[in-house]
Amino acid sequence: MSTEVKVLSTSTRTNLEALKHHMKKLGFEYFKENAGWIDFCMNVFGEADELANFEDCVCISTRFFSFSIQADGLEVAKKVPEINQAILDFYEAEGIKE
């Protein structure tokens, strides 16, 4: 059984590091990269033997122009304009317009 792993280009990695830095400044603590999607979350709850629950998350595609923001609390809702701009800057750097 083989697993296909998409390796991100050097420029995408650089752009992603800039995005991670910006999102950290906005208060996001959790970062996960999986199957062409990047997840940033402010709060992660769960014990070692149970599934984690994520609150206040932003999910971003590295392959096409698509992202979602889940704002369970006011902390993220207040930052939506800055979050949107950080994501748009990432897409612009990647050359993704649609």
Side-chain angles (χ1 to χ4, degrees):
M1 185 154 96
S2 67
T3 305
E4 181 182 335
V5 176
K6 181 179 179 187
V7 178
L8 298 176
S9 70
T10 302
S11 64
T12 298
R13 287 256 171 238
T14 301
N15 295 334
L16 185 55
E17 286 302 316
L19 178 61
K20 284 168 55 176
H21 178 74
H22 196 108
M23 295 298 277
K24 187 173 182 178
K25 286 173 49 178
L26 291 173
F28 289 87
E29 301 169 0
Y30 175 82
F31 164 81
K32 181 180 179 187
E33 179 183 330
N34 186 18
W37 285 88
I38 308 298
D39 299 327
F40 294 97
C41 296
M42 284 192 170
N43 303 300
V44 182
F45 302 99
E47 300 296 324
D49 60 343
E50 64 184 46
L51 292 175
N53 295 313
F54 303 97
E55 291 184 0
D56 300 322
C57 293
V58 174
C59 303
I60 305 164
S61 173
T62 59
R63 296 181 184 167
F64 49 87
F65 191 87
S66 181
F67 66 92
S68 65
I69 299 173
Q70 175 185 335
D72 296 325
L74 289 177
E75 190 174 359
V76 170
K78 290 188 297 185
K79 297 177 182 181
V80 166
E82 291 177 85
I83 294 167
N84 279 337
Q85 190 58 54
I87 295 168
L88 291 174
D89 290 347
F90 170 77
Y91 283 134
E92 184 178 331
E94 285 292 297
I96 300 172
K97 303 209 186 293
E98 295 181 21

